[in-house]
Amino acid sequence: MTETATEKLKLMVVDDEQDNLDLLYRTFRRDFQVYKANHALNALEILDREGEMAVIISDQRMPEMNGTEFLSLTVERFPDTIRILLTGFTDVEDLVAAINSGQVFKYITKPWSPERLKVLVDQATDTYRLVKKRTRELSRSLRRESLFNAVTTAIRESLDYDSMLQKIVTTIGEKFATTCCLLRPVEGDRLTEVEFCYQNPDPRLPDFSYDPSVLIEKILQTRHYEISQEIRDGYNCQQMVVPLAYQQHLLAVLAIYQWGNQKPWQEEEIQLIAGVAEQAALALSQAKLYQRLQEKQAQLKTELEVARKIQNNLLRQTLPEITGGKVQACCYPAREVGGDFFEVFVHPKGDLWLAVGDVSGKGVPAALFMASAISVLRRELAQETPAEPNIVVHHLNNALYDDLMSNNCFITLVLARYTPTNKDLVYANAGHIYPLLWSNKTNVNVNPNYLTVRGIPIGILPQWQAQSGHLVLDSGDTFLLASDGITESMVSDQLLNQKKNEDSGQLISRSMLNQEGLWQLLQTEPQPLSLENLLARIQADNYIQEDDQTILSLEVL
């Protein structure tokens, strides 16, 4: 396709011989906008006036300044220009240096053939067009990348969803040098009342109110950008409204207004704006999802706080005072709520019932089963004449088995009945860790006394059957129940063997406390025993509480 006069590339010919200059002009005038210069200084003046040339053909031997010197002066200002040197002698070193430095594309010796020179110029123009095309593409890519980075940075610096919207509209407004830029969020395919705005601070711009409502209405229907142009007060004004949509969900509408543009937006500019809007829509979608997640987390946190208070109230906060005995209990869930529980119940007939239980798992599901277990247990213990501990556990299994089995859960439990009048203790163990009994009258080195009568956990089989254990306590005895959250705590060896570790100077290793370790700590606890102090020692050495921790003791005075 033949290029029109306005589309012709610029070509400059420089030669101090007028005949050569005219010949070069006639050779290329049909295909190029040809500029003539009879010496280098004149050529530099033309470049200052006309700007970049696609091709410069220069003679080497000229007065005042030779061809290579002249062409070298054009390299920095016009790096894409293709330079061809005409020479009547073969100064090889000079020409090679010029070619290697990028000052000269090709050289041709005189007398030159017009056909050969035309072929060489055709190669030069093809090279020039390719270079300009790649330069434009690179420029577009760099600008697009720069805009994307600016939008991304603005989004990341935002503290919340509203500030992100304002950052987006401000960044786009500044980067595209808009007169005004508006952003309206959309909820359920309807515009919200909130509006985020950028106004160009240039005092030379007219004071007016921008109303893109007509184009916005079209956007809500078509989901495709809309462009309009008008003449206002003798100036060209353009506006573009772009939908910010992600996966067919319209999130917001962006309106851009420019006053006083000399030429309308090109397709490249339009696509760039649309691309930035697409990226902003993706960021908005993620931010909206994150905002909803935060709102749900805040709601869940509030609900869990209420559940924690209910659970704390469910566990008895005021322990009863009993004649000839002292009861202590502590329960610390690993999360807001947990599956550990304890019960201290004084029957009207005088018996003291003690229980520590542990629902498998953690969090809300375990807490729900914990509440169910306490409710059923209290119902059983409130009977006029409660059954034996192993029968009560049997009833618990009957009441909870179906729910526990269907949710793949179980409960371990120790239930004990203590009669203060004769100091008789009867207990039943449903898969829980062994209760511990010791006396402060014995020596420190006495082996721990574990009460080993035990059955399977609640919720494993439809029928629970096991015998009760029986013993008679004495003054100075302590009966202790704990959950595996305590015995499975990871503690340092230094906690259990402080003197040995201080003397050795070796690195401190960590291991599971286990019941033997709990026994050792109990032996070193000052009297009278304080379960809060005991747990504080364990928790201070156990940096991460991975499980609920519950402990209960009965001291016979």
Side-chain angles (χ1 to χ4, degrees):
M1 181 177 180
T2 304
E3 293 181 284
T4 64
T6 57
E7 294 173 335
K8 289 180 179 179
L9 294 177
K10 296 178 181 180
L11 181 144
M12 175 185 283
V13 291
V14 186
D15 200 313
D16 62 328
E17 295 182 16
Q18 190 63 39
D19 291 342
N20 288 339
L21 203 59
D22 292 340
L23 179 58
L24 289 168
Y25 178 81
R26 290 193 301 272
T27 302
F28 297 107
R29 68 183 179 83
R30 291 183 179 276
D31 301 319
F32 295 89
Q33 296 182 56
V34 181
Y35 297 86
K36 298 186 295 181
N38 56 11
H39 57 81
L41 295 179
N42 185 24
L44 292 174
E45 292 174 357
I46 294 173
L47 288 174
D48 290 338
R49 184 176 65 250
E50 300 296 336
E52 182 179 90
M53 301 288 164
V55 181
I56 297 178
I57 304 173
S58 175
D59 185 27
Q60 169 65 6
R61 301 189 68 181
M62 294 185 296
E64 299 178 353
M65 187 184 300
N66 65 34
T68 53
E69 291 173 340
F70 158 66
L71 293 176
S72 66
L73 296 177
T74 67
V75 173
E76 185 175 352
R77 290 181 60 194
F78 309 109
D80 297 336
T81 295
I82 307 300
R83 287 164 281 272
I84 298 174
L85 190 66
L86 300 177
T87 179
F89 65 97
T90 55
D91 187 352
V92 177
E93 292 185 2
D94 191 24
L95 294 175
V96 170
I99 292 173
N100 289 340
S101 63
Q103 299 171 3
V104 174
F105 172 70
K106 294 281 185 170
Y107 74 92
I108 187 168
T109 58
K110 295 179 180 179
W112 44 270
S113 165
E115 288 74 17
R116 182 185 172 195
L117 184 57
K118 288 186 70 173
V119 171
L120 188 59
V121 170
D122 286 342
Q123 294 176 358
T125 54
D126 289 342
T127 302
Y128 177 79
R129 286 192 176 96
L130 180 60
V131 169
K132 297 305 288 184
K133 178 182 178 182
R134 290 182 176 177
T135 301
R136 285 193 298 270
E137 291 175 351
L138 179 60
S139 178
R140 284 197 299 268
S141 297
L142 289 175
R143 188 183 180 197
R144 182 184 180 91
E145 191 69 22
S146 175
L147 284 168
F148 282 8
N149 288 338
V151 172
T152 302
T153 301
I155 290 169
R156 288 176 177 173
E157 292 176 349
S158 304
L159 300 177
D160 51 44
Y161 188 70
D162 285 352
S163 66
M164 176 182 291
L165 293 173
Q166 185 60 54
K167 282 274 189 180
I168 289 174
V169 72
T170 301
T171 302
I172 293 176
E174 291 175 345
K175 292 296 181 181
F176 285 100
T178 63
T179 306
C180 182
C181 192
L182 300 177
L183 192 147
R184 294 282 300 274
V186 174
E187 293 288 348
D189 291 336
R190 292 186 178 182
L191 290 172
T192 65
E193 297 298 324
V194 184
E195 180 177 275
F196 299 88
C197 179
Y198 165 79
Q199 190 77 38
N200 194 316
D202 190 342
R204 295 170 297 178
L205 295 172
D207 187 15
F208 65 93
S209 60
Y210 172 49
D211 182 13
S213 56
V214 175
L215 293 185
I216 288 178
E217 287 299 324
K218 292 182 179 180
I219 287 288
L220 295 176
Q221 297 175 4
T222 64
R223 305 297 177 89
H224 191 268
Y225 66 79
E226 296 285 342
I227 300 176
S228 71
Q229 183 174 347
E230 63 178 356
I231 303 298
R232 176 179 289 187
D233 299 329
Y235 290 95
N236 183 38
C237 302
Q238 301 175 97
Q239 62 174 330
M240 178 177 179
V241 181
V242 187
L244 272 62
Y246 179 70
Q247 293 185 346
Q248 298 182 347
H249 294 289
L250 187 61
L251 305 175
V253 176
L254 177 70
I256 296 175
Y257 180 79
Q258 281 188 333
W259 176 89
N261 260 11
Q262 295 182 353
K263 59 181 181 179
W265 282 318
Q266 301 299 310
E267 183 64 23
E268 175 186 332
E269 195 84 357
I270 295 171
Q271 293 305 319
L272 185 58
I273 295 173
V276 172
E278 184 178 339
Q279 188 201 30
L282 174 60
L284 285 182
S285 175
Q286 294 174 338
K288 206 165 190 177
L289 182 62
Y290 179 68
Q291 183 187 41
R292 290 175 180 171
L293 180 61
Q294 283 188 313
E295 292 172 352
K296 288 184 178 180
Q297 287 178 334
Q299 181 182 1
L300 179 60
K301 185 177 181 180
T302 301
E303 292 175 355
L304 287 175
E305 181 62 24
V306 173
R308 185 186 66 80
K309 292 179 180 178
I310 293 174
Q311 190 174 51
N312 285 343
N313 294 332
L314 191 60
L315 297 173
R316 299 186 186 277
Q317 300 300 302
T318 303
L319 298 176
E321 294 184 2
I322 60 173
T323 304
K326 178 183 177 182
V327 177
Q328 298 182 68
C330 299
C331 182
Y332 296 99
R335 301 176 184 174
E336 286 82 356
V337 292
D340 275 15
F341 63 93
F342 68 86
E343 177 66 9
V344 179
F345 179 79
V346 179
H347 194 271
K349 292 184 178 181
D351 287 342
L352 174 67
W353 289 83
L354 306 171
V356 168
D358 182 3
V359 181
S360 61
K362 303 178 187 68
V364 175
L368 293 175
F369 279 117
M370 164 264 187
S372 297
I374 288 182
S375 177
V376 175
L377 178 61
R378 289 178 179 173
R379 183 191 66 193
E380 292 293 323
L381 299 183
Q383 301 294 324
E384 183 177 354
T385 303
E388 291 295 307
N390 62 331
I391 302 302
V392 173
V393 175
H394 172 78
H395 292 165
L396 280 173
N397 188 80
N398 288 344
L400 302 174
Y401 173 77
D402 289 339
D403 289 336
L404 289 170
M405 191 67 181
S406 62
N407 289 277
N408 198 28
C409 293
F410 61 86
I411 300 174
T412 66
L413 172 73
V414 173
L415 176 65
R417 183 191 64 199
Y418 174 67
T419 305
T421 55
N422 56 12
K423 300 181 180 179
D424 189 64
L425 182 75
V426 181
Y427 70 93
N429 188 338
H432 204 74
I433 62 174
Y434 296 137
L436 186 62
L437 181 66
W438 87 96
S439 175
N440 57 20
K441 297 179 180 179
T442 59
N443 295 325
V444 173
N445 294 327
V446 172
N447 292 328
N449 182 12
Y450 300 123
L451 307 184
T452 58
V453 176
R454 184 164 65 178
I456 63 173
I458 296 171
I460 300 297
L461 294 176
Q463 297 296 321
W464 189 91
Q465 291 182 347
Q467 296 298 317
S468 292
H470 177 267
L471 65 156
V472 178
L473 304 182
D474 196 4
S475 298
D477 286 349
T478 298
F479 174 69
L480 186 137
L481 302 175
S483 67
D484 58 7
I486 293 177
T487 57
E488 293 178 2
S489 298
M490 297 300 294
V491 297
S492 65
D493 294 342
Q494 187 176 17
L495 179 67
L496 303 177
N497 302 288
Q498 293 184 7
K499 184 175 181 180
K500 179 180 178 181
N501 282 277
E502 288 171 1
D503 295 340
S504 65
Q506 297 178 353
L507 292 176
I508 299 173
S509 61
R510 305 186 70 82
S511 58
M512 192 176 292
L513 179 63
N514 292 319
Q515 284 193 286
E516 292 77 8
L518 179 60
W519 167 260
Q520 292 183 44
L521 287 180
L522 288 169
Q523 300 304 299
T524 59
E525 277 291 298
Q527 296 297 322
L529 175 66
S530 170
L531 292 187
E532 288 187 357
N533 289 341
L534 175 65
L535 265 183
R537 289 176 63 192
I538 297 173
Q539 291 175 346
D541 200 69
N542 177 233
Y543 305 126
I544 301 176
Q545 183 183 341
E546 296 182 350
D547 199 0
D548 305 329
Q549 296 179 343
T550 303
I551 190 167
L552 181 149
S553 67
L554 167 65
E555 297 175 71
V556 180
L557 304 177

